[in-house]
């Protein structure tokens, strides 16, 4: 064999080998915003599972607690006709992407895994577009939690609050003790998290549904909503001056470190306590936010699957969907994240008192018609209306806007197209 022929043969053999390696190791590119301590630990477990199945994990992490930055990145990729394999999106946004014709049908994975029998209808309906599964649920978060450092309560001589009168009494004592009463991050989505929780605590489940889900104009402008804004205005007085722009996990760290007494936040905050080695019921308390004990505002994290052309990537995508719904991942992810599994029949033995209370409260709220989609976390309304309402709340939190002016602005925002 001549030198040139030998070089050609070796080069061709090398290319064939590389092609074989590429075929043997399909990849999934996953766009997500699970970037804080507990969240990053959780997603690392999914990466391990996929790599154990021979699938290369390409991480596309975009920081930003409520996912605004991730949504911007996703839009850019889809417009460029280069979507990731999967992206962390949820609620009505799944339907919006479905309308764009860019989501993949993953019914085969759902049928094989018997998802319809494992998921409550309130969850499975969100995962489908026109009757077909296009997303896999990762978990269920409860939003209406109040996180408390009991050592701070003891130092301040305060007790665990169950209603707003008791809450403000505790906040006064914490503030008097020289500590921050309410840890908060002054970001629009965090402001709206407190707002929706206050609306639920002041008005109850039926009022929440009428005002923040159905957008009933009379409810949005009535005395109960005015009282909600008055309560929110009082809460503002217990937030420290450095809250502007603070990330949620840094606010949680204030409670963990004893610099602040309480925080309104969903149960992803528990992942931060757990990552810090703290024990539920001892080092921190999880209680339903004032007045919301019998209700449950939910936020479902999910990975929506985007249409990919490569057959090997399509197979890897179905493998990813099945892995997300596996008992092993549902358990380990939710233990790290602070949430509860989306699918039924996951053993409770490894879950702490906060998680088991969340499971029980979700079941009870479902029966009592008090299982409610979170406005602040993209479960209740389309992005345009939710964004308009969030803007009103953010303005109220950062100005001298009166409750009366706020309800009028809220009603106007609800009419956003």
């Amino acid at each position: 064999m001549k030198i040139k022929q030998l070089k050609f043969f070796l080069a061709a053999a090398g290319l064939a080998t590389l092609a074989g390696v590429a075929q043997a190791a399909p990849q999934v590119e996953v766009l997500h915003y699970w970037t804080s301590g507990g969240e990053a630990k959780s997603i690392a477990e999914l990466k391990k599972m996929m790599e154990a199945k021979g699938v290369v994990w390409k991480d596309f992490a975009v920081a930003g607690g409520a996912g605004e930055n991730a949504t911007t990145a996703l839009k850019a990729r889809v417009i460029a006709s280069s979507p990731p394999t999967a992206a962390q999106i949820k609620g009505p946004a799944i339907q919006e992407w479905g309308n764009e014709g860019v989501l993949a049908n993953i019914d085969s994975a759902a049928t094989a895994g018997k998802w319809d029998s494992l998921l409550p209808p309130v969850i499975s309906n969100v995962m489908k577009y026109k009757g077909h599964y296009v997303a896999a649920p990762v978990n269920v978060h409860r939003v209406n939690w109040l996180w408390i450092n009991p050592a701070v309560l003891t130092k301040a001589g305060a007790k665990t609050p169950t209603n707003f009168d008791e809450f403000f009494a505790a906040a006064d004592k914490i503030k008097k003790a020289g500590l921050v009463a309410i840890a908060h991050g002054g970001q629009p989505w965090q402001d709206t998290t407190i707002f929706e929780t206050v609306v639920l605590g002041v008005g109850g489940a039926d009022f929440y549904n009428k005002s923040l889900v159905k957008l009933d104009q009379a409810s949005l402008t009535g005395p109960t909503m005015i009282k909600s804004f008055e309560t929110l205005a009082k809460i503002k007085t217990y937030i420290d001056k450095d809250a502007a722009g603070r990330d949620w996990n840094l606010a949680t760290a204030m409670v963990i470190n004893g610099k602040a007494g309480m925080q309104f936040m969903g149960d992803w905050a528990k992942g931060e306590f757990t990552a810090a080695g703290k024990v539920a019921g001892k080092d921190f308390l999880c209680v339903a936010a004032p007045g919301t004990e019998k209700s449950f505002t939910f936020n479902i994290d999910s990975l929506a699957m985007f249409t990919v052309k490569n057959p090997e990537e399509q197979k890897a995508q179905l493998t990813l969907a099945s892995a997300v719904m596996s008992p092993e991942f549902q358990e380990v992810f939710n233990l790290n994240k602070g949430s509860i599994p989306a699918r039924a029949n996951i053993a409770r033995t490894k879950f702490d008192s906060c998680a088991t209370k969340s499971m029980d409260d979700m079941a009870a709220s479902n029966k009592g018609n008090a299982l409610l989609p979170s406005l602040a976390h993209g479960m209740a309304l389309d992005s345009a209306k939710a964004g308009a309402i969030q803007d009103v709340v953010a303005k109220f939190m950062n100005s001298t806007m009166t409750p009366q002016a706020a309800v009028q602005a809220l009603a106007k925002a609800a009419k956003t197209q």
Side-chain angles (χ1 to χ4, degrees):
M1 183 178 289
K2 293 181 180 180
I3 299 280
K4 285 186 177 180
Q5 289 177 318
L6 180 59
K7 286 182 177 178
F8 178 81
F9 174 80
L10 291 174
L15 287 172
T17 301
L18 288 172
V21 170
Q23 288 178 352
Q27 74 170 20
V28 290
E29 183 183 20
V30 182
L31 190 162
H32 65 91
Y33 47 96
W34 289 305
T35 55
S36 73
E39 295 173 330
K41 187 176 179 182
S42 299
I43 205 66
E45 295 296 333
L46 184 56
K47 178 181 177 180
K48 286 180 188 176
M49 291 180 68
M50 293 302 292
E51 290 178 344
K53 295 175 185 293
V55 177
V56 174
W57 177 280
K58 187 176 180 182
D59 202 51
F60 188 177
V62 182
E68 297 97 335
N69 297 338
T71 298
T72 300
L74 178 60
K75 287 178 180 177
R77 287 288 300 272
V78 173
I79 289 171
S81 299
S82 178
T85 313
Q88 182 189 354
I89 54 179
K90 58 194 177 183
I94 294 174
Q95 305 305 309
E96 292 173 18
W97 282 110
N99 289 335
E100 297 296 325
V102 294
L103 297 184
N105 183 321
I106 56 170
D107 280 344
S108 57
T111 300
K114 300 180 180 178
W115 293 9
D116 277 342
S117 63
L118 291 171
L119 297 173
V122 71
I123 296 177
S124 62
N125 289 340
V126 175
M127 299 301 116
K128 294 176 180 178
Y129 176 71
K130 292 187 176 179
H132 298 285
Y133 278 99
V134 293
V138 174
N139 57 9
V140 177
H141 281 295
R142 187 183 194 179
V143 178
N144 59 307
W145 283 115
L146 182 68
W147 302 93
I148 300 173
N149 184 319
V152 171
L153 288 189
T154 300
K155 181 179 179 180
K159 67 176 184 177
T160 303
T162 60
N163 56 48
F164 276 115
D165 287 340
E166 293 177 356
F167 173 81
F168 289 123
D172 281 332
K173 290 183 178 180
I174 294 169
K175 192 173 181 179
K176 189 175 180 180
L179 299 170
V180 176
I182 303 169
H184 181 59
Q187 297 172 336
W189 73 268
Q190 294 190 61
D191 293 338
T192 310
T193 297
I194 295 185
F195 167 70
E196 70 171 36
T197 303
V198 168
V199 170
L200 180 61
V202 170
D206 289 342
F207 178 76
Y208 179 101
N209 190 51
K210 285 175 69 176
S211 60
L212 300 186
V213 181
K214 295 182 178 178
L215 301 180
D216 173 65
Q217 286 285 307
S219 299
L220 290 171
T221 57
T224 304
M225 188 58 76
I226 290 174
K227 185 179 179 182
S228 296
F229 274 106
E230 289 172 346
T231 304
L232 190 60
K234 190 171 182 179
I235 287 173
K236 283 199 298 181
T237 65
Y238 297 96
I239 296 171
D240 69 292
K241 60 181 177 60
D242 298 321
R246 180 187 289 141
D247 288 334
W248 70 269
N249 52 309
L250 299 181
T252 304
M254 292 171 65
V255 180
I256 292 173
N257 298 327
K259 293 180 180 179
M262 303 178 284
Q263 181 189 19
F264 291 94
M265 189 53 61
D267 55 18
W268 48 92
K270 195 187 72 175
E272 299 301 299
F273 285 98
T274 303
K278 304 301 181 181
V279 178
K282 176 188 174 185
D283 302 311
F284 67 96
L285 306 178
C286 52
V287 299
T292 73
E293 176 66 33
K294 295 182 179 180
S295 300
F296 189 114
T297 44
F298 67 82
N299 171 24
I300 304 170
D301 281 323
S302 56
L303 285 179
M305 306 298 167
F306 283 75
T307 302
V308 291
K309 297 177 181 178
N310 186 310
E312 291 301 313
E313 285 190 35
Q314 291 172 359
K315 291 180 183 177
Q317 188 176 61
L318 294 173
T319 300
L320 174 62
S322 298
V324 166
M325 271 290 287
S326 68
E328 296 81 9
F329 177 68
Q330 291 271 320
E331 179 182 84
V332 72
F333 184 95
N334 288 289
L335 285 171
N336 286 329
K337 187 74 162 60
S339 44
I340 59 176
R343 63 171 285 165
N345 303 326
I346 302 295
R348 292 187 171 202
T349 50
K350 294 181 182 179
F351 288 91
D352 63 21
S353 57
C354 293
T356 54
K357 176 173 172 53
S358 190
M359 293 174 189
D360 291 340
D361 288 353
M362 180 177 170
S365 297
N366 190 33
K367 291 179 181 177
N369 294 319
L371 188 58
L372 304 159
S374 168
L375 163 68
H377 298 278
M379 301 304 301
L381 302 171
D382 64 66
S383 56
K385 286 186 173 65
I389 290 174
Q390 182 172 272
D391 289 345
V392 172
V393 175
K395 183 177 180 181
F396 181 81
M397 291 291 285
N398 294 282
S399 72
T400 56
M401 178 185 249
T402 66
Q404 289 76 14
V407 298
Q408 295 304 318
L410 193 70
K412 184 178 179 181
K415 296 179 180 178
T416 300
Q417 296 299 315

